[in-house]
Structure formats: C-alpha cells, structure tokens
Amino acid sequence: MSEIKGKFITVEGGEGAGKSTNLDLIKQLLEAAGQQVLFTREPGGTPLGEEIRNLLLGHKHDGMAAETELLLMFGARAEHLSQKIVPALNAGTWVLCDRFTDATYAYQGGGRGIDPKRIQILEQWVQHDLRPDLTLVLDLPIEMGLERAGKRSAPDRFESEAHHFFQNVRERYLDIAKNDPKRVKVIDASLPLTQVQSQIKTVVGDFLSTCV
Ligand code: TMP
C-alpha cells in the first residue's frame, strides 16, 4: 500500500446525526481545494457490497449472529477496498467514505459486545496498513438522533435496536476519538446546522493545510 497518493476521509456518527448533508459539504470543500473526490459508503459501495448491505440492514435476517454481522461487514469491506477504494487512492483520487471500520468498532464492538481485539485481527487482515487519514465523528445525544432518523423512514435492522445499544455505540465512537485525536475529530452535531458546518469547515481546513 506504499504507493498510495490520495487521502482517505471517513465520516461516522450515530443514527440521525446529519451525515448526508454534511458529507455533501465535505465533498464540496475538498473539490474547492482542487481534489478529485470519490464518494462512497459502507456497508456497500460495490454491487456485491450493496447486496451485503441489504442483507445487513433488512429485517429478513433479524437475529443474525453478531459474528455473522461482523464478517459480512468485513466481506463487503474487502470487496470495497479491492474494487474501489485502493485503486482510487493509488490513482491520486481522494476517497470520502460514509462510514468505515470505526463503525465496526462502535456497532459490532460497542453495540454487540464483540471483543475489539477480534475486530482488530480482521481489520489488519482485510486492510493491511490502510487506515483513514481523517475521520469526522458527528456526535449528538441518542434521543435527538433517533427522533431525527425516525422521521425519515421505517427503521432498518440497526435503527430498531434499543436505547442502550446506541448509548454503547456513541460511547465507543467517543473512546475512539479520545484514543486517536490526531485522526479522529468529534463534531457537535446537536447544534444548529450552520454551527455544525462551521466546525466541519475548520476541521477540513486544518486537514487540508497539513496536505500541502
Ligand atoms: P447508514 O450508513 O445509512 O447510517 O447505515 C448503515 C448502518 O450499518 C448503520 O446503522 C451502522 C451500521 N454499520 C455497522 O454496524 N458496522 C459497520 O462496520 C458499518 C460500516 C455500518
């Protein structure tokens, strides 16, 4: 992976944290700085990955084992990396991804209770040394996020989880940020959109200034 030329930026957050709107802004900021940006998402991002996403988010397999869920996430990720992310980065394109492996630590680790050491083994196996260069975590209280997500559409298999599941997911994201403050930046997504976006502009601006 030593020939990587593009930057890899990921955006994370609990349910209803406003990822879509803010991903659009980040893409615009990167493009305005002259970068070619590939926008993609996880689980998904490839034809096979999107099929795996449907299995993971749909209710057909309610009650799937946590290990199955974990392996499907990494199955989709392996395909995504080999078909899309790594070729783009090698070509010098920047990749902006809606969720990545921090979501696995938060949801399958924090939410489902899988030992992070097991996740780490899969991370190393599937990604080798590839990690995001910058991660933004859109953080907000659980009640606020679930209310926003609930207004949009029928809850998917994750959105149907109980309150404590999301509490654990949130705490795990905040732990990840605390342990890796250089890469992971927490955005207070409970504030009005203009204030959320000004935090994002600062974080992206600071990152861009380190890339020149
Ligand atoms: P979203 O990206 O549209 O919010 O939906 C994806 C869902 O999948 C979300 O509830 C988080 C979950 N997820 C995991 O549980 N583990 C993962 O590794 C990823 C990428 C997503």
Side-chain angles (χ1 to χ4, degrees):
M1 304 255 174
S2 54
E3 75 255 56
I4 277 178
K5 293 186 237 138
K7 297 290 179 193
F8 184 26
I9 299 173
T10 61
V11 176
E12 302 280 353
E15 310 304 316
K19 275 192 293 115
S20 307
T21 313
N22 292 310
L23 278 158
D24 283 346
L25 170 69
I26 296 167
K27 186 165 185 284
Q28 282 169 27
L29 293 171
L30 299 176
E31 286 173 345
Q35 301 305 333
Q36 195 181 342
V37 182
L38 173 75
F39 172 66
T40 187
R41 70 169 179 184
E42 290 216 343
T46 64
L48 174 55
E50 291 293 326
E51 286 196 38
I52 296 175
R53 180 185 177 92
N54 290 337
L55 293 174
L56 282 161
L57 269 61
H59 287 281
K60 189 172 171 196
H61 304 289
D62 276 344
M64 112 177 24
E67 286 76 7
T68 310
E69 188 178 286
L70 173 68
L71 291 167
L72 285 173
M73 289 293 174
F74 271 105
R77 185 162 297 137
E79 185 72 5
H80 199 194
L81 284 163
S82 77
Q83 300 296 323
K84 210 163 168 184
I85 296 177
V86 172
L89 292 173
N90 285 344
T93 299
W94 286 31
V95 175
L96 175 62
C97 194
D98 180 351
R99 298 195 191 278
F100 195 62
T101 305
D102 294 308
T104 313
Y105 282 102
Y107 283 79
Q108 283 65 55
R112 303 275 187 234
I114 294 179
D115 184 343
K117 290 199 199 88
R118 300 181 73 190
I119 300 175
Q120 218 171 10
I121 292 167
L122 292 171
E123 180 181 39
Q124 194 58 37
W125 196 76
V126 168
Q127 295 168 220
H128 309 278
D129 291 332
L130 182 69
R131 301 290 181 276
D133 297 293
L134 173 69
T135 298
L136 291 90
V137 173
L138 304 178
D139 177 63
L140 83 172
I142 309 304
E143 293 75 17
M144 196 185 259
L146 289 179
E147 202 195 311
R148 284 188 196 166
K151 280 185 190 148
R152 283 201 307 257
S153 54
D156 65 33
R157 207 172 56 83
F158 289 100
E159 289 165 346
S160 308
E161 286 296 331
H163 186 278
H164 69 268
F165 177 91
F166 296 109
Q167 195 62 44
N168 291 336
V169 167
R170 183 183 188 200
E171 281 167 17
R172 192 58 62 95
Y173 272 132
L174 295 176
D175 281 349
I176 291 169
K178 206 162 90 190
N179 292 329
D180 194 356
K182 197 162 173 287
R183 172 179 70 89
V184 185
K185 308 293 179 191
V186 178
I187 304 294
D188 182 350
S190 71
L191 298 173
L193 185 62
T194 49
Q195 290 177 46
V196 174
Q197 299 209 323
S198 90
Q199 294 172 74
I200 290 175
K201 284 178 190 162
T202 303
V203 165
V204 172
D206 288 350
F207 177 76
L208 286 168
S209 69
T210 67
C211 297
V212 285

